[in-house]
Amino acid sequence: LRTNYISVDYPPVADFEADQTTIFQFEFVTFTDLSTGNPTSWTWTFEGGDPAGSNIQQPGEVTYEVNGVYDVTLTVSNDYGQSTETKTDYIDVLPVGIDEINSGQGFTIYPNPGREVFMIHRQSNTDYEIRIFNLLGEQVFEGALNGQEARINLSGLNRGLYIVRLAASDSDQVATAKLVIE
């Protein structure tokens, strides 16, 4: 008796998961390929992510800098075909908020994130020098906080992340926080 075996192979089926789907701006997500059918190539697309895509099975960390809701797509293929999985509105990137960025610093910036005009509030009446820097370390604003509250107009600055530095005029006390301009 002779038995013949027929080898049957199948196209892959794309599937993946993220280690987290709700994050704050400037955090990252790690994606894991869960595809079946022995894919031999991978094409990832990360809407709103950095990097925006990858061609390796496990793409590593993807950073999201702008708040919003984003799709993720994975296309896999082998010698027998290809498959695409798009997870719509899969990654939810929340804006960096006041409590998250200013905890323990002793001052509050609001609205944050915001546009153009911001308030800086401090519990003490100590006078402070306010300096704001972009992510390249360039100073983009200088002013003063005399008393408990200062109103600052940043209408000339581009959208993005900035660092606010408060330095007390009568001591070497310094506090910093992030500021997001939308």
Side-chain angles (χ1 to χ4, degrees):
L1 235 183
R2 188 167 173 214
T3 306
N4 289 329
Y5 292 96
I6 298 173
S7 174
V8 178
D9 287 304
Y10 299 96
V13 177
D15 192 17
F16 62 90
E17 69 180 3
D19 64 339
Q20 54 186 342
T21 57
T22 301
I23 61 170
F24 286 101
Q25 288 174 282
F26 311 103
E27 293 182 337
F28 63 86
V29 176
T30 301
F31 294 91
T32 302
D33 172 41
L34 301 175
S35 302
T36 59
N38 300 317
T40 55
S41 72
W42 298 263
T43 303
W44 295 87
T45 304
F46 308 109
E47 179 187 37
D50 182 19
S54 176
N55 291 321
I56 60 175
Q57 183 178 10
Q58 308 301 345
E61 297 175 351
V62 178
T63 303
Y64 291 85
E65 296 182 0
V66 179
N67 63 303
V69 181
Y70 299 103
D71 299 349
V72 177
T73 301
L74 172 61
T75 300
V76 294
S77 63
N78 65 17
D79 290 340
Y80 305 98
Q82 77 174 26
S83 171
T84 299
E85 171 72 16
T86 297
K87 295 189 178 183
T88 305
D89 297 342
Y90 189 55
I91 303 298
D92 188 6
V93 182
L94 304 174
V96 176
I98 293 171
D99 293 336
E100 192 271 332
I101 63 174
N102 293 326
S103 58
Q105 292 292 332
F107 70 97
T108 304
I109 302 171
Y110 60 93
N112 191 8
R115 292 186 180 95
E116 297 185 5
V117 177
F118 296 85
M119 300 299 291
I120 298 178
H121 181 79
R122 180 129 180 106
Q123 294 299 325
S124 72
N125 279 321
T126 305
D127 291 342
Y128 285 85
E129 176 184 75
I130 303 168
R131 290 186 181 195
I132 300 176
F133 301 88
N134 64 22
L135 291 182
L136 299 175
E138 301 165 333
Q139 182 175 309
V140 296
F141 177 86
E142 184 173 5
L145 173 58
N146 299 318
Q148 291 185 313
E149 196 161 73
R151 180 180 186 271
I152 56 175
N153 186 333
L154 301 177
S155 60
L157 298 180
N158 292 328
R159 294 177 53 187
L161 176 67
Y162 294 85
I163 304 300
V164 178
R165 180 181 181 271
L166 294 184
S169 54
D170 62 354
S171 71
D172 56 356
Q173 181 183 6
V174 175
T176 60
K178 296 175 193 173
L179 171 67
V180 177
I181 298 178
E182 292 185 313

